[in-house]
Amino acid sequence: FGDWKAVRNGPGKPIELYDLKTDAAESKDLAATKTDLVAKAEALMHEHLLSGHDALIKMDPKGAKTA
């Protein structure tokens, strides 16, 4: 994915997209202008989920792992 970082902050949340080469602080979400990369990120995330390697870690409200 090169210098791009795509994140989804929870189920049903939109994908956020950052260009780490020009925005290391991740302050400008470019998802609305780079829909092709968002679609690619969506496909990669879906493929990862189907692979059985779900990386979600459940946290309680105080930040402790619960599962």
Side-chain angles (χ1 to χ4, degrees):
F1 218 62
D3 293 320
W4 295 97
K5 178 179 178 182
V7 295
R8 174 175 277 148
N9 292 309
K13 300 285 186 177
I15 290 177
E16 299 172 13
L17 185 69
Y18 302 97
D19 181 354
L20 298 180
K21 187 174 185 177
T22 61
D23 180 22
E26 300 175 23
S27 61
K28 183 167 169 101
D29 179 4
L30 299 173
T33 60
K34 300 289 186 182
T35 55
D36 58 327
L37 290 175
V38 171
K40 183 176 180 179
E42 179 82 48
L44 288 170
M45 290 177 184
H46 184 72
E47 181 181 322
H48 180 75
L49 183 64
L50 292 178
S51 74
H53 300 292
D54 187 4
L56 293 176
I57 298 173
K58 295 181 180 179
M59 306 289 271
D60 72 19
K62 295 180 184 176
K65 289 183 184 179
T66 59

